[in-house]
Amino acid sequence: MINSIGSSASFMAQQSSQVSALTTEQTEFVKETLAEFDAQNLSTEDAQSIQAAFEEQGISPTKELADLMSELDFDAKSIGDAGRPEGQRPPPPPQNALESVDTDEVVSYLDELLTEYSSQLSDEDKESILSSVQEKFGLSEGDSLLNVTA
């Protein structure tokens, strides 16, 4: 039972990473769309048009997209900046996974696991639970579950 917790968390992590990858069709769409523009002479309207076309196809701004655009001599950041309405700020950068962990959620999750398995836990079971918690909350093996600095 404990092993199934770890494998379902692993599947969820794999599934979420697959969502952001560009499909072959999206990659071709990016290439075809950018072929209609001159990378050296993009107007604000061009940048907005590119962004709208990508959004319409479900293409999110990712590192993979930026790398593809760079291969085609387009700067994704400048297109993003030029296509943004004046005065609007870009979204904040993603936080470190450890900084964004909700400790109440971690404690609640641990409590559920320990309540369910407390009478039958071996050392192997405890390691499996710890691994599952680390995987669920994006913690590295050396990360502490508690912040002990003041």
Side-chain angles (χ1 to χ4, degrees):
M1 182 78 168
I2 291 177
N3 288 336
S4 68
I5 294 170
S7 58
S8 68
S10 173
F11 172 73
M12 288 171 43
Q14 290 173 352
Q15 193 175 30
S16 67
S17 69
Q18 291 172 350
V19 171
S20 64
L22 290 173
T23 65
T24 304
E25 292 81 16
Q26 288 174 325
T27 300
E28 287 305 312
F29 181 81
V30 169
K31 290 177 181 179
E32 291 169 7
T33 300
L34 294 180
E36 299 173 15
F37 297 94
D38 178 1
Q40 306 308 314
N41 298 305
L42 281 178
S43 67
T44 300
E45 292 80 23
D46 292 340
Q48 290 172 344
S49 176
I50 291 169
Q51 285 184 2
F54 289 176
E55 286 175 17
E56 196 173 287
Q57 293 298 313
I59 301 172
S60 301
T62 62
K63 181 176 179 350
E64 181 183 9
L65 176 61
D67 290 345
L68 175 59
M69 292 175 72
S70 179
E71 289 173 19
L72 302 169
D73 296 325
F74 286 84
D75 180 20
K77 183 181 180 333
S78 65
I79 291 174
D81 291 344
R84 187 178 310 112
E86 195 159 327
Q88 185 181 24
R89 298 180 133 194
Q95 292 182 341
N96 178 331
L98 189 57
E99 292 172 2
S100 63
V101 171
D102 179 356
T103 54
D104 290 337
E105 188 179 354
V106 173
V107 171
S108 176
Y109 182 71
L110 282 172
D111 187 46
E112 288 173 26
L113 289 174
L114 292 175
T115 300
E116 187 172 344
Y117 298 106
S118 63
S119 64
Q120 54 197 7
L121 291 176
S122 67
D123 287 341
E124 185 178 306
D125 291 336
K126 292 174 188 175
E127 286 298 319
S128 179
I129 290 171
L130 179 59
S131 294
S132 177
V133 169
Q134 289 170 331
E135 191 170 346
K136 179 174 177 63
F137 296 100
L139 302 171
S140 299
E141 204 170 307
D143 290 340
S144 173
L145 296 176
L146 302 173
N147 182 358
V148 293
T149 59

